Amino acid sequence: MAKIAERVSNKRLLKLIRAFLRAGVMEGGLVSSVDEGTPQGGSLPPLLSNIVLDEFDRELERRGHRFARYMDDSNIYVRSQRAGERVMKSLTRFIGTKLKLQVNQSKSAVAEPWERKFLGFSFTHSESPKRRVAPKAVKRSKERVLELTSRARGISIEGMAKELALYLRGWIGFREVRHALGATKP
């Protein structure tokens, strides 16, 4: 909230943001409190992360890095493994000391673009790389389709078709939105 207050001076808006953060999330019909962070899936997390991480973006631009960031997920592109390790160490220090945030070491890595995924996408490893849906995302989607089309569910074929169509429309739409949002930075 302190970081947001540096950028937002309207007291009523700050009070509203604080209320959203304290509101909790609905799980199985029950409201659960949120101890830290922002509830996933809402409209507030992208806005707040952009406010908090704007200084990170400016630092990357100042250093001349090519990068892509959506909320707290980011990829920084450098020419070598050695440069990647140096940049990772330096930026982890910047994020910790300047922004007072913690980098998730288990999700962070220095790797070739085709070895990582970003917003559910990855790249092919070829002379002219192409963007593709990440293999793990495809696998999870296939597993979900198998669940939805299981005969053991005891629902009508019409009901099954409606649920499947709803899932597939959402999955395709989600990929399109994430691609569009992820393409906002070079």
Side-chain angles (χ1 to χ4, degrees):
M1 285 303 300
K3 199 72 165 161
I4 294 164
E6 289 175 12
R7 303 280 303 266
V8 177
S9 59
N10 185 312
K11 300 288 186 210
R12 291 179 68 194
L13 182 57
L14 290 170
K15 190 174 179 180
L16 180 63
I17 291 170
R18 187 179 303 278
F20 269 112
L21 292 173
R22 290 188 174 157
V25 292
M26 180 81 75
E27 295 175 313
L30 299 172
V31 176
S32 301
S33 64
V34 178
D35 296 329
E36 61 181 34
T38 58
Q40 277 191 314
S43 54
L44 201 56
L47 172 67
L48 296 181
S49 66
N50 282 335
I51 290 170
V52 171
L53 293 173
D54 180 61
E55 191 172 348
F56 178 64
D57 292 347
R58 285 186 285 140
E59 180 67 14
L60 291 172
E61 288 167 352
R62 187 187 68 73
R63 295 180 183 195
H65 291 305
R66 293 175 183 250
F67 67 98
R69 183 182 65 78
Y70 177 71
M71 294 182 37
D72 63 342
D73 291 332
S74 62
N75 280 0
I76 302 157
Y77 303 98
V78 296
R79 295 201 181 269
S80 69
Q81 179 79 18
R82 193 167 145 203
E85 290 166 4
R86 181 180 44 77
V87 168
M88 170 81 94
K89 186 176 180 181
S90 171
L91 289 174
T92 299
R93 188 171 45 251
F94 173 83
I95 290 168
T97 57
K98 189 83 168 156
L99 301 180
K100 307 288 190 251
L101 297 172
Q102 189 174 3
V103 173
N104 185 336
Q105 296 297 332
S106 67
K107 290 185 176 181
S108 301
V110 175
E112 300 288 350
W114 52 86
E115 295 172 355
R116 304 290 293 171
K117 70 179 181 79
F118 180 64
L119 303 177
F121 291 97
S122 63
F123 293 97
T124 59
H125 180 67
S126 61
E127 198 168 305
S128 57
K130 298 202 178 352
R131 180 183 47 87
R132 66 178 177 177
V133 176
K136 282 184 183 178
V138 172
K139 183 179 183 223
R140 279 194 309 268
S141 176
K142 287 179 180 180
E143 289 168 356
R144 181 68 179 138
V145 167
L146 286 174
E147 287 174 19
L148 290 171
T149 57
S150 170
R151 291 182 187 180
R153 291 186 60 218
I155 64 169
S156 70
I157 194 79
E158 292 83 10
M160 187 183 296
K162 283 181 183 176
E163 287 183 13
L164 181 60
L166 183 65
Y167 171 73
L168 292 174
R169 269 195 308 272
W171 194 83
I172 291 166
F174 180 69
R175 298 281 161 227
E176 289 171 354
V177 167
R178 285 183 81 158
H179 170 64
L181 292 172
T184 57
K185 285 263 184 206

